[in-house]
Amino acid sequence: MRVVIAGGHGQIALRLERLLAAGGHEPVGIIRRPEQAADLVAAGAEPLVLDLESASVDEVAGALRGADAAVFAAGAGPGSGVDRKDSVDRAAAVLFADGAEAAGVRRFLVVSSMGADAGHQGDEVFDAYLRAKGAADDAVRAHEGLDWTILRPGMLTNDAGTGLVRLEAHTGRGPVPRDDVAAVLAELLDTPATAGLTLELVAGTVPVSVAAKDIAGN
């Protein structure tokens, strides 16, 4: 599969790119800064420079054309303000979904967040983040031309992955290593019957491949 990943230099994206490359797939990572390209090449991915905060739908569709799947793993990141939560975590995700549909790329994964909700209340930056992610998820789910799966991990850690997770519609809060988030994304790409599902993910006791198959079609 040729898989185009938005936020290609992110911590989860780089892990996913390594997994996909090792599995014989063709990962393509969208990045904003050319100096990030070497890290993607080292991970086995093709770098593609495109700023999703300023790109047009046609430009995004051009980047996605010919792909078998798309993964939105971009984020404004810690330290960013309310404006970039909206321009990246919401607007860029919507743009990427619009571009995927225009390019005819049906399989579409989103790395969202536990607690994402467009109606979330609160005045802190993290509250704005949860609203932005929730609004993006709602917009993606409205795309009839996409076979979407939305993944909402719990608290991300840099602990070594265990390959053991809990992947359900509702898991309750908990931590999960970024290694295991990437592994679940790779498995979801290989499990098309998970299309149409919004899933929460935390560390657990079930092997990644079994967890994805168990939830497929539910």
Side-chain angles (χ1 to χ4, degrees):
M1 282 190 296
R2 181 175 174 85
V3 182
V4 179
I5 304 165
H9 194 256
Q11 295 187 65
I12 290 171
L14 285 167
R15 288 167 166 84
L16 176 59
E17 288 155 7
R18 292 186 195 101
L19 290 175
L20 292 174
H25 300 295
E26 299 177 33
V28 179
I30 293 178
I31 53 177
R32 285 193 306 129
R33 298 196 297 273
E35 59 267 27
Q36 297 171 331
D39 291 336
L40 272 71
V41 172
E46 174 190 334
L48 176 59
V49 179
L50 182 67
D51 187 348
L52 293 177
E53 288 183 90
S54 60
S56 67
V57 172
D58 286 346
E59 288 172 325
V60 175
L64 284 160
R65 199 157 284 119
D68 300 292
V71 180
F72 186 81
S80 58
V82 171
D83 288 349
R84 294 205 71 230
K85 301 303 183 194
D86 184 71
S87 63
V88 178
D89 293 290
R90 184 197 61 80
V94 173
L95 174 68
F96 199 57
D98 291 344
E101 188 163 24
V105 180
R106 292 199 61 93
R107 191 69 175 116
F108 193 88
L109 303 187
V110 177
V111 182
S112 184
S113 174
M114 188 86 69
D117 179 358
H120 179 82
Q121 299 298 308
D123 300 323
E124 301 297 322
V125 172
F126 189 69
D127 298 318
Y129 167 75
L130 292 177
R131 284 193 293 273
K133 295 298 280 187
D137 293 351
D138 290 346
V140 169
R141 285 189 288 241
H143 276 270
E144 295 182 359
L146 299 180
D147 296 329
W148 54 264
T149 303
I150 294 170
L151 184 65
R152 292 178 165 177
M155 184 182 70
L156 299 171
T157 75
N158 285 326
D159 297 337
T162 66
L164 301 173
V165 298
R166 184 178 176 192
L167 180 67
E168 299 170 11
H170 301 287
T171 62
R173 296 188 178 276
V176 61
R178 287 179 172 86
D179 286 350
D180 289 333
V181 177
V184 167
L185 289 168
E187 195 66 37
L188 291 174
L189 286 167
D190 275 335
T191 315
T194 56
L197 299 180
T198 299
L199 302 171
E200 295 183 350
L201 173 67
V202 294
T205 60
V206 180
V208 167
S209 61
V210 175
K213 288 179 177 62
D214 284 349
I215 198 68
N218 291 335

